[in-house]
Amino acid sequence: MENPKVSIITTTYNDKENLKKIIAQVKKQDYENIEYVIVDGGSTDGTREVIAEAEAYFGDRLKWISEKDKGIYDAINKGIRLSTGDILGCCFDQYAGPDVISKMVAIMEKEGTDGVHGDLYYMEGDKVVRYWHQGQGNIRCGWMPGHPTLYLKKSVYDKYGLYKTDYRISADYEFMIRILKNKKVKLSYLPEVLIYMSHGGTSTNSLGAYLAGMKEGHRALRENGVRFAWFTDLCRTLRVLAQFIKKM
């Protein structure tokens, strides 16, 4: 497919200053065929004015909605439904360079895959506190793509469905298990840092949140029929610990 459309989804709620930064990141991407989708949870802090400014720049390449949602995964699902692109991904943080989307599309086209992922840094200010570098692997052995770097063909969502909103923290992990457990969805891997992500998200902001995420992750493995889920849990924990050891 020549020059496929890429839909980039951002969800937000009463966080207009951060939204401005994310919009600036999307504007910097040098890939030409981008559709930008903003899903606002009904903000009251001037977010709509920020979206209006973005609309003046993107024109009909911007789709947006502002209404109450049931959390981040429900908001992402709304963004997926609004998207008309051939390839879909989310942007909540900072791209490592202006050519990230171009590189993603190029390797997917070259290798004929269903999606792409790469490495990422977790940041506290200018300091790298965690380095997500897993390459390719088997999700049953604790491996998984860095979700902020994961861009997939829309056909994957059409076939496997969207994020399960009864998961509070780990719906992204459950989704990745669902699409990758049988190795029918093929991913390309870009061996470089693609995203700088702020440390302290829903699943990483405390030990309690991490443990809750692991509990949901175990549930996701069981619900998807992955045998010896405890083994996958152990391998996944060891891989996470290794990311801190590898940090710069």
Side-chain angles (χ1 to χ4, degrees):
M1 184 186 301
E2 185 177 351
N3 195 29
K5 183 192 291 185
V6 177
S7 294
I8 300 174
I9 300 166
T10 295
T11 64
T12 187
Y13 179 65
N14 282 342
D15 194 15
K16 69 175 184 179
E17 295 305 319
N18 190 50
L19 178 61
K20 289 178 182 178
K21 295 176 182 178
I22 297 171
I23 291 170
Q25 288 293 311
V26 177
K27 286 180 178 180
K28 290 178 182 177
Q29 289 302 298
D30 62 9
Y31 189 73
E32 293 184 357
N33 197 8
I34 285 177
E35 173 184 73
Y36 192 29
V37 179
I38 301 176
V39 180
D40 173 45
S43 296
T44 57
D45 67 340
T47 288
R48 291 193 184 194
E49 286 76 8
V50 173
I51 295 174
E53 292 175 5
E55 195 167 28
Y57 176 86
F58 288 101
D60 59 8
R61 294 188 297 132
L62 177 71
K63 293 180 178 292
W64 67 279
I65 188 172
S66 181
E67 62 183 23
K68 289 184 178 180
D69 55 56
K70 299 176 183 177
I72 187 170
Y73 296 116
D74 181 43
I76 294 173
N77 286 345
K78 289 182 179 184
I80 293 170
R81 294 188 188 101
L82 279 174
S83 298
T84 63
D86 307 293
I87 300 168
L88 279 60
C90 295
C91 180
F92 303 122
D93 294 278
Q94 180 180 344
Y95 290 113
D99 57 352
V100 168
I101 300 298
S102 295
K103 288 179 177 179
M104 286 179 160
V105 173
I107 195 169
M108 285 180 64
E109 293 289 281
K110 179 181 178 181
E111 298 182 355
T113 51
D114 304 301
V116 59
H117 68 104
D119 301 341
L120 68 93
Y121 285 154
Y122 286 85
M123 310 293 296
E124 286 184 355
D126 295 329
K127 180 183 178 182
V128 178
V129 296
R130 180 176 170 189
Y131 177 24
W132 188 292
H133 172 70
Q134 296 205 33
Q136 298 283 54
N138 186 331
I139 202 156
R140 294 171 182 263
C141 296
W143 166 87
M144 64 176 178
H147 185 254
T149 75
L150 182 64
Y151 280 61
L152 296 167
K153 289 183 177 178
K154 189 174 187 297
S155 57
V156 174
Y157 294 99
D158 293 339
K159 181 176 181 179
Y160 291 92
L162 307 182
Y163 294 92
K164 292 186 176 180
T165 56
D166 59 337
Y167 281 76
R168 187 176 67 86
I169 295 174
S170 299
D172 50 350
Y173 182 51
E174 189 283 326
F175 174 76
M176 289 188 286
I177 295 170
R178 200 188 328 150
I179 69 172
L180 297 173
K181 63 180 180 178
N182 295 323
K183 301 182 180 180
K184 292 183 179 180
V185 172
K186 303 299 183 183
L187 300 180
S188 295
Y189 168 62
L190 269 173
E192 59 185 89
V193 173
L194 304 179
I195 300 291
Y196 300 144
M197 180 179 178
S198 297
H199 191 255
T202 303
S203 62
T204 61
N205 59 9
S206 70
L207 177 60
Y210 177 76
L211 292 175
M214 288 300 296
K215 183 178 180 180
E216 282 197 351
H218 185 78
R219 170 190 161 197
L221 291 164
R222 297 288 297 274
E223 287 184 352
N224 281 281
V226 178
R227 298 181 64 194
F228 306 110
W230 62 268
F231 173 76
T232 302
D233 291 335
L234 176 60
C235 292
R236 183 183 172 207
T237 299
L238 293 174
R239 285 177 177 270
V240 169
L241 289 173
Q243 292 170 6
F244 289 93
I245 294 170
K246 291 177 182 178
K247 70 183 177 65
M248 294 180 64

